[in-house]
Amino acid sequence: MKVDELSKPFERPGIEVLFDERAIVTRVAQLGAQITQDYAQKTPLTLVPVLKGSYVFAADLARHIDLPVHVEFIGVRSYGSSQVSSGEVQITLDTKHPLEGQHVLIVEDIVDTGLTLAYLRENFATRRPASLGIAALLRKPSRTLIDVEVEYVGFTVPDRFVVGYGLDDAGLHRNLPYIGAYRA
Ligand code: IMP
Ligand code: MG
């Protein structure tokens, strides 16, 4: 995407922009280049976006990975209130093909408490992949309950509820082309 082709700002008065489209494009391209380098001898790479939150990030990231890539989706739901995860994770959609022997990179929107990714890491390890890594667009270190290893992180965010670029609040705002936070 060329910079002069980026979309209009999609302004929402209640939402403050934390990372605009240009910052995201730049960072995602860097992550893709790093992954391309790291996985050069580990192909094909199987990307596993965690639905729904990572769908925008995964679509962009995949197009910055210059390697043979498979894509398998997983859907999870974590119980709890809308903005706080309980740590009890349910798989709502599982991968279609076995991950055994594959180089697997889980693609997630945000590491908040870490409970979801801790669960997924453990669950995926039992599927005996050749290697297992995680790429998360965002990390909110102030909220860590489990310090799960995440190999690739896009941005660190403060302890605020963020939306846009795939992330939702009660199903809305996933389509915002930037990452924003509610104004206080
Ligand atoms: P966890 O607390 O690390 O298990 O995060 C669970 C899930 O909660 C993430 O994958 C997101 O889908 C969602 N989540 C956590 N923090 C935010 C946020 O600030 N905005 C939108 N979704 C969030
Ligand atoms: Mg999620």
Side-chain angles (χ1 to χ4, degrees):
M1 189 193 304
K2 290 211 195 80
V3 174
D4 58 6
E5 289 169 354
L6 299 181
S7 31
K8 294 256 164 54
F10 273 48
E11 281 173 33
R12 299 284 185 274
I15 297 174
E16 175 192 347
V17 177
L18 298 183
F19 303 100
D20 66 12
E21 199 170 6
R22 188 184 304 230
I24 296 170
V25 168
T26 304
R27 186 66 187 123
V28 173
Q30 286 171 349
L31 291 176
Q34 186 67 53
I35 290 165
T36 301
Q37 211 175 20
D38 295 351
Y39 283 87
Q41 308 304 323
K42 297 199 278 185
T43 62
L45 170 61
T46 302
L47 296 177
V48 185
V50 182
L51 296 175
K52 299 175 186 173
S54 76
Y55 84 106
V56 180
F57 172 47
D60 284 348
L61 182 66
R63 287 175 291 172
H64 286 285
I65 299 174
D66 188 8
L67 297 171
V69 157
H70 291 290
V71 183
E72 287 284 329
F73 295 100
I74 190 152
V76 300
R77 173 163 62 202
S78 50
Y79 291 101
S81 68
S82 65
Q83 298 194 350
V84 187
S85 111
S86 67
E88 190 180 342
V89 180
Q90 183 192 16
I91 293 182
T92 55
L93 172 80
D94 210 342
T95 54
K96 201 163 178 189
H97 296 99
L99 301 177
E100 184 170 358
Q102 305 296 308
H103 293 287
V104 173
L105 186 64
I106 296 173
V107 183
E108 176 61 306
D109 54 359
I110 184 166
V111 197
D112 186 36
T113 61
L115 292 165
T116 302
L117 277 175
Y119 173 87
L120 282 180
R121 211 183 236 297
E122 201 170 304
N123 179 292
F124 276 39
T126 67
R127 305 176 191 214
R128 299 194 294 162
S131 69
L132 179 59
I134 299 175
L137 173 66
L138 304 174
R139 179 165 221 170
K140 217 187 269 183
S142 54
R143 303 248 314 159
T144 304
L145 291 179
I146 298 186
D147 194 11
V148 53
E149 191 179 352
V150 181
E151 285 78 4
Y152 305 93
V153 176
F155 302 102
T156 296
V157 292
D159 187 7
R160 296 176 67 185
F161 196 76
V162 294
V163 293
Y165 197 69
L167 291 106
D168 74 306
D169 178 17
L172 290 176
H173 302 313
R174 294 191 197 278
N175 60 320
L176 297 180
Y178 51 83
I179 297 160
Y182 288 119
R183 294 185 195 280

